[in-house]
Amino acid sequence: MHPAPSIIVFTTLSGLGFGLMAFLGLGLPGSTGWVALAFYVIAYALACGGLVASAFHLGHPERALRAFSQWRSSWLSREAWLAVLTLLVVGIFAAGRVFWGQLWQPLGWLGAALALATVYSTSMIYASLAAIPRWHGPLTPLHFLSLSLAGGALLAGQVGAALPLLALAAGVQLVVWMQGDGALARSGTTMASATGLQGGAVRAFEPPHTGTNYLLREMVHIVGRKHAARLRVLTLILGFGLPMVLLVLPFNHWLGLLAVLTHVLGIFASRWLFFAQAEHVVGLYYGKR
Amino acid sequence: MTQLPTTTTRKLGLVIDLDTCVGCHACVISCKGWNTENYGAPLADEDAYGANPVGSFLNRVHSFEVTPADDAPPSLVHFPKSCLHCDNAPCVTVCPTGASYKRVEDGIVLVNESACIGCGLCAWACPYGARELDPREKVMKKCTLCVDRIYNENLPEEDRVPACVRTCPAGARHFGDLGDSESAVSQLVAQRGGFDLMPEMGTQPVNKYLPPRPKDQLQETDILAPFLAPVTDTSQGFLGWLDRALSALPGAKE
């Protein structure tokens, strides 16, 4: 699939932002006043920044409000609702923490649950697509949620939670890659099932057009897979290894910031691969993956 | 509404005969023509006369080569592909705005272009590559089964079929109600063993494809062969002398 920068930025940053909101909703860290304001500004900047970035890939962003209408069937519509609800509920909870030093814990729990539900709905947009075997399955929500929780713990300064969560997210990432590499072959969809042609080996002889088209650019984006092995190593080192090392060192705000930055860079690499390496079955009609 | 109807009154669709299709691409051109001049946003081309032309099409013809396991010669199959108007259309349910829908009255899958935000998710959801985002209008384009022809009383009756069906010079494309087992298209599917594309995806496509018929095989029964066996293996005359003379030289192979 085409690794559109707007989608990579959106899913990475909003995942981090909602992960941070989940921890803030649980009352971690328990700061109030200016310090709490700083945490909530970061969380809202990441979540809203991601949502704004996602609008850039729309053909008609002026009609974006219509996306709230089909929550009965569409995960994209559910994501829109859950994101707005989370921002509202966490906003009220945040006001209590920042302005009055109050802890309205039930509201915080609700906000945390909504934040995680938002990340889940984002992941289900991809996991629900049977046409992309690498994404289709329960590993995709697990991958997104584990990353969001690890990043959220890191941003919330919860060193005790961040270390195991980063390790968990790294483990899930490895399983996602191992499972994903054989997903298309296991799906049972082949050029023979795509064309229904029997009685011999089927080979794509001639494409329908001499140039490229929307389908090839959007869904058979082979050029993005060029540095896959290197990007996987970078993901593991930057996204998980370095932040964990930095967390183990004696605490210092600058080291914490560095841990967050390397983590975000690593997740950008991971998210690039998530899209670039996903093979859409339409590629079979073109003899490509 | 992007929830799918549980049933549709009719199931209008196409039956495409892979045995008859000659791969002329006339259906591609007539489709592009009709759907550029009529309903909805025109099907744009970009850099049409330049080095890298791209454009949106609702129907494209692939060509595949099938090589049998035995020694029979490979065959070339031309393979037109457009929206299959699936009963369980994944492109419809993913749409966040309700722009994508499946009609209850005839099962046609359509896009309400004025409600489409151009997110492209429906094109991702379709395993067949039937949907393309128009490069100019930035809305999703797909086969409408020429909904503006088939019910159009301003057209002569013989023209009230999809443009691709009307134009096919080989008669490889058939249009009708696949929900009615008595219809001509349903009979054709039953007789010829029509099949679904990617049945494992669970999309339940309405459009069916008819398989290529087995090709004739020439039998290797050449009754003249025994009489035409070579009379001699060695050359005669000058070439024969040359052959013997060269063979006598040292280093010649036995």
Side-chain angles (χ1 to χ4, degrees), chain A residues 220-243:
Chain A
V220 196
H221 202 89
I222 291 164
V223 65
R225 300 170 194 161
K226 194 177 166 196
H227 298 296
R230 267 172 239 155
L231 284 172
R232 282 187 175 182
V233 173
L234 276 179
T235 299
L236 290 178
I237 295 175
L238 292 176
F240 307 105
L242 263 180

Side-chain angles (χ1 to χ4, degrees), chain A residues 18-74:
Chain A
F18 286 114
L20 176 54
M21 278 185 202
F23 276 92
L24 293 173
L26 294 175
L28 303 167
S31 32
T32 54
W34 285 105
V35 180
L37 183 68
F39 272 112
Y40 283 104
V41 165
I42 292 169
Y44 272 78
L46 289 171
C48 298
L51 292 174
V52 169
S54 77
F56 281 107
H57 89 288
L58 295 180
H60 285 274
E62 77 279 7
R63 300 174 187 160
L65 277 182
R66 289 179 181 271
F68 287 90
S69 67
Q70 303 302 316
W71 51 271
R72 287 180 195 82
S73 70
S74 168

Side-chain angles (χ1 to χ4, degrees), chain A residues 150-169:
Chain A
L154 198 58
L155 279 170
Q158 303 300 305
V159 177
L163 277 172
L165 284 172
L166 278 169
L168 174 75

Side-chain angles (χ1 to χ4, degrees), chain B:
Chain B
M1 185 54 66
T2 58
Q3 283 171 295
L4 287 164
T6 46
T7 56
T8 57
T9 315
R10 293 192 295 161
K11 293 182 183 187
L12 295 186
L14 300 175
V15 173
I16 294 169
D17 191 343
L18 297 179
D19 191 62
T20 317
C21 175
V22 295
C24 70
H25 293 242
C27 54
V28 178
I29 302 306
S30 65
C31 167
K32 178 102 172 175
W34 178 267
N35 288 291
T36 292
E37 293 152 11
N38 294 281
Y39 166 84
L43 295 169
D45 288 317
E46 299 228 300
D47 197 22
Y49 302 98
N52 298 301
V54 287
S56 49
F57 286 77
L58 312 184
N59 178 32
R60 295 184 185 264
V61 180
H62 295 251
S63 294
F64 294 97
E65 184 188 59
V66 183
T67 310
D70 53 29
D71 250 357
S75 54
L76 189 59
V77 180
H78 300 293
F79 191 95
K81 184 165 62 63
S82 54
C83 173
L84 308 172
H85 299 279
C86 303
D87 273 341
N88 189 19
C91 56
V92 169
T93 50
V94 298
C95 177
T97 70
S100 257
Y101 61 104
K102 185 171 174 72
R103 306 204 324 169
V104 179
E105 61 268 38
D106 50 20
I108 301 179
V109 176
L110 286 176
V111 174
N112 173 4
E113 290 176 1
S114 60
C116 174
I117 56 174
C119 68
L121 189 56
C122 55
W124 287 14
C126 172
Y128 308 107
R131 290 173 168 243
E132 299 185 18
L133 194 76
D134 188 79
R136 197 64 58 86
E137 292 292 327
K138 304 290 180 196
V139 293
M140 198 52 73
K141 300 298 295 184
K142 68 174 295 300
C143 163
T144 66
L145 213 59
C146 282
V147 70
D148 50 348
R149 285 176 69 99
I150 59 178
Y151 297 117
N152 191 339
E153 293 183 358
N154 295 321
L155 295 177
E157 199 165 344
E158 66 266 30
D159 284 339
R160 291 181 210 161
V161 292
C164 57
V165 175
R166 186 75 180 94
T167 205
C168 178
R173 305 178 70 98
H174 307 269
F175 165 72
D177 181 6
L178 286 144
D180 171 10
S181 60
E182 298 302 309
S183 69
V185 283
S186 295
Q187 300 276 324
L188 194 59
V189 170
Q191 282 165 20
R192 293 276 309 279
F195 59 84
D196 291 344
L197 304 186
M198 292 187 196
E200 70 278 4
M201 283 281 162
T203 50
Q204 299 165 29
V206 169
N207 283 13
K208 304 288 180 217
Y209 283 75
L210 305 180
R213 292 183 175 91
K215 294 279 182 286
D216 288 343
Q217 303 255 340
L218 283 178
Q219 296 295 312
E220 291 293 332
T221 50
D222 193 347
I223 50 168
L224 289 177
F227 302 103
L228 294 174
V231 181
T232 174
D233 289 338
T234 51
S235 307
Q236 303 287 312
F238 172 70
L239 282 178
W241 169 80
L242 194 61
D243 182 31
R244 287 191 301 277
L246 290 171
S247 300
L249 288 176
K253 280 185 193 157
E254 281 305 313

Side-chain angles (χ1 to χ4, degrees), chain A residues 154-246:
Chain A
L154 198 58
L155 279 170
Q158 303 300 305
V159 177
L163 277 172
L165 284 172
L166 278 169
L168 174 75
V172 173
Q173 173 75 80
L174 284 173
V175 177
V176 163
W177 284 334
M178 287 191 296
Q179 288 283 310
D181 286 346
L184 180 63
R186 277 196 311 275
S187 74
T189 298
T190 59
M191 200 186 284
S193 82
T195 59
L197 294 172
Q198 294 176 340
V202 185
R203 185 172 77 94
F205 183 78
E206 195 177 40
H209 38 91
T210 50
T212 186
N213 72 350
Y214 172 76
L215 300 172
L216 290 174
R217 274 191 316 225
E218 189 71 11
M219 285 169 265
V220 196
H221 202 89
I222 291 164
V223 65
R225 300 170 194 161
K226 194 177 166 196
H227 298 296
R230 267 172 239 155
L231 284 172
R232 282 187 175 182
V233 173
L234 276 179
T235 299
L236 290 178
I237 295 175
L238 292 176
F240 307 105
L242 263 180
M244 288 169 79
V245 170
L246 290 169

Side-chain angles (χ1 to χ4, degrees), chain A residues 10-166:
Chain A
F10 153 57
T11 55
T12 308
L13 295 189
S14 72
L16 275 172
F18 286 114
L20 176 54
M21 278 185 202
F23 276 92
L24 293 173
L26 294 175
L28 303 167
S31 32
T32 54
W34 285 105
V35 180
L37 183 68
F39 272 112
Y40 283 104
V41 165
I42 292 169
Y44 272 78
L46 289 171
C48 298
L51 292 174
V52 169
S54 77
F56 281 107
H57 89 288
L58 295 180
H60 285 274
E62 77 279 7
R63 300 174 187 160
L65 277 182
R66 289 179 181 271
F68 287 90
S69 67
Q70 303 302 316
W71 51 271
R72 287 180 195 82
S73 70
S74 168
W75 280 105
L76 182 49
S77 194
R78 287 171 199 165
E79 181 201 36
W81 272 108
L82 286 166
V84 169
L85 279 175
T86 308
L87 295 177
L88 284 175
V89 170
V90 174
I92 299 169
F93 178 74
R97 302 296 288 154
V98 172
F99 301 117
W100 300 291
Q102 296 292 321
L103 182 65
W104 299 322
Q105 195 55 72
L107 202 62
W109 286 329
L110 178 65
L114 282 170
L116 292 183
T118 308
V119 176
Y120 177 74
S121 64
T122 305
S123 68
M124 282 308 290
I125 293 173
Y126 307 109
S128 65
L129 301 175
I132 303 151
R134 191 185 278 269
W135 293 349
H136 188 53
L139 271 175
T140 298
L142 203 62
H143 178 46
F144 275 56
L145 281 170
S146 64
L147 279 181
S148 181
L149 282 172
L154 198 58
L155 279 170
Q158 303 300 305
V159 177
L163 277 172
L165 284 172
L166 278 169

